[in-house]
Amino acid sequence: MRFRRGKSRKMKVMEYERHLAENLYDIHRELTNLTYMHGKYEHFVIRDSKRREIHEASTRDKLVHQVIYDYLVKIYEPVFIKDSYSSRVGKGSHKALKTFRYFARLASIGGGCIYVLKCDIRKYFDNVDHNILFELISERIKDAKTLNVIKEIITSFDAGDIVGRGIPLGNVTSQVFANIYLNELDHYVKAILKERFYVRYNDDFVIVDNDRARLEVDLRMIQKFVRDTLLLDIPANKASIRKLSWGVDFLGYNILPNCMLLRDKTKVKLYNNLNESNIESYLGLLKHCDSHNLKQKVMSKLNNYWSMFDD
């Protein structure tokens, strides 16, 4: 089963599988009889690039999540725009960066300055409105039993003390819910604002254009749209319009007209935390950008580390 991929040795999963046939029968009965109720979440914190609060559902609920996720992806994948790249098969952050750079090259044809509007939404996952999300899904899903389960998942979590808001990091359904919610923004930018060079990854997005004044209007329109339609916020400190020649910070990299560099903060963290156990993942990170000098420094530091054991 897909929901257990990479987790089959976890005690909770092993316990569930010990009585698998009985558990599957029970969950099928609850779903059929409309008596399914979502259980509590286990909360924990992880720290990678920043602090993240994870809410993990029970094995029983994860099974339901996976079924709903697969169902919604089949319905919505044809509806999503080509250039949203988060949590979609065949997409991902590096393809989003590649498309951004391709759009910048297209915008440069004919000369002139290239400007980039970059935004991200304040505390996006915590502020997804349950009623709006459910209404959006109800426009395409008409089966009452399926909608009942989807509503139970949506309302199973509130972000902090905000009742009726938030989707949890940790649910596979949150990935498709997040894309369904911002699909409204995607189509607004493409169909109403008529912007060709738009790329979104999760709640971070960029628009490339030769006309700064047009991007300033776009920003005001987008801020109003997400505020009025989606009850979200893009504050001034989460939005910028920059010349590409100054460099644009997007998805961990600094994008310039002719190169893509690792963000300075990431470079410092990489160099300070480098050791034998993480060298492969860090070199994998570097292969996506123009980083010859940094790779040389990384290998030199690692060679010095190894030489201490050879002496």
Side-chain angles (χ1 to χ4, degrees):
M1 289 181 286
R2 290 181 60 198
F3 84 98
R4 67 191 280 276
R5 191 172 294 164
K7 303 167 187 172
S8 58
R9 297 184 66 85
K10 281 192 172 184
M11 185 60 67
K12 288 180 288 188
V13 176
M14 293 170 66
E15 178 63 28
Y16 192 85
E17 291 185 335
R18 190 172 300 161
H19 307 284
L20 184 60
E22 182 181 343
N23 287 330
L24 291 178
Y25 173 78
D26 287 344
I27 198 67
H28 178 267
R29 176 173 46 80
E30 291 174 17
L31 293 171
T32 302
N33 296 338
L34 301 180
T35 58
Y36 168 72
M37 296 182 66
H38 199 286
K40 294 183 178 180
Y41 289 93
E42 180 182 345
H43 171 254
F44 58 93
V45 175
I46 63 172
R47 291 175 174 82
D48 40 29
S49 57
K50 58 184 178 181
R51 186 179 188 274
R52 301 179 191 274
E53 296 199 24
I54 306 298
H55 293 81
E56 184 177 20
S58 68
T59 303
R60 162 186 172 272
D61 291 322
K62 285 180 180 178
L63 176 60
V64 178
H65 294 175
Q66 189 66 58
V67 172
I68 293 298
Y69 171 84
D70 291 342
Y71 175 76
L72 288 176
V73 166
K74 287 180 182 178
I75 300 294
Y76 277 94
E77 191 59 35
V79 176
F80 293 151
I81 68 167
K82 178 183 176 182
D83 294 315
S84 72
Y85 286 87
S86 177
S87 304
R88 296 176 66 192
V89 175
K91 302 286 186 174
S93 61
H94 294 300
K95 288 197 174 180
L97 289 161
K98 184 177 180 180
T99 299
F100 175 23
R101 298 185 73 189
Y102 172 68
F103 284 166
R105 287 195 295 273
L106 289 181
S108 70
I109 296 174
C113 192
I114 302 170
Y115 296 95
V116 179
L117 167 62
K118 177 183 175 294
C119 301
D120 76 84
I121 295 168
R122 187 181 70 85
K123 295 184 178 180
Y124 173 53
F125 274 73
D126 285 347
N127 285 293
V128 169
D129 184 88
H130 292 175
N131 289 332
I132 293 174
L133 175 59
F134 185 71
E135 286 173 10
L136 291 173
I137 293 173
S138 299
E139 290 174 3
R140 295 188 178 275
I141 310 300
K142 301 303 180 183
D143 181 74
K145 288 185 177 181
T146 303
L147 284 173
N148 182 71
V149 178
I150 290 171
K151 189 169 188 177
E152 181 66 22
I153 295 172
I154 290 172
T155 59
S156 67
F157 174 82
D158 292 310
D161 298 326
I162 309 173
V163 177
R165 290 283 191 99
I167 51 178
L169 294 174
N171 280 7
V172 67
T173 47
S174 294
Q175 300 172 10
V176 69
F177 288 162
N179 277 332
I180 290 170
Y181 207 80
L182 286 186
N183 185 54
E184 301 301 300
L185 171 63
D186 296 340
H187 285 281
Y188 177 76
V189 172
K190 301 290 283 187
I192 305 301
L193 300 183
K194 305 292 185 183
E195 285 291 0
R196 293 173 58 202
F197 303 143
Y198 166 78
V199 179
R200 181 176 65 80
Y201 184 87
N202 208 352
D203 60 316
D204 292 334
F205 61 90
V206 290
I207 301 174
V208 182
D209 205 295
N210 301 106
D211 187 343
R212 181 185 177 94
R214 179 178 179 180
L215 290 179
E216 289 173 349
V217 173
D218 282 350
L219 175 56
R220 291 193 295 272
M221 297 286 285
I222 288 169
Q223 286 173 316
K224 184 178 189 306
F225 178 83
V226 300
R227 182 177 65 248
D228 295 349
T229 306
L230 301 176
L231 302 184
L232 298 172
D233 182 33
I234 303 175
N237 66 333
K238 294 284 188 178
S240 64
I241 299 174
R242 293 176 57 85
K243 291 182 180 179
L244 185 64
S245 59
W246 296 346
V248 175
D249 187 338
F250 186 52
L251 303 181
Y253 293 89
N254 188 27
I255 315 299
L256 291 136
N258 298 310
C259 65
M260 184 169 81
L261 305 174
L262 204 59
R263 187 164 51 187
D264 288 343
K265 185 169 64 174
T266 307
K267 284 194 287 188
V268 171
K269 181 181 177 182
L270 181 156
Y271 197 72
N272 289 340
N273 295 340
L274 183 68
N275 58 55
E276 192 173 14
S277 66
N278 61 29
I279 180 62
E280 291 299 327
S281 62
Y282 278 141
L283 288 177
L285 184 69
L286 293 175
K287 77 178 182 180
H288 295 286
C289 61
D290 304 288
S291 57
H292 177 75
N293 291 339
L294 182 57
K295 284 179 184 175
Q296 295 298 108
K297 290 180 180 180
V298 165
M299 295 309 299
S300 176
K301 182 176 181 180
L302 197 60
N303 288 333
N304 290 338
Y305 172 82
W306 283 329
S307 68
M308 292 190 298
F309 297 94
D310 293 336
D311 292 342

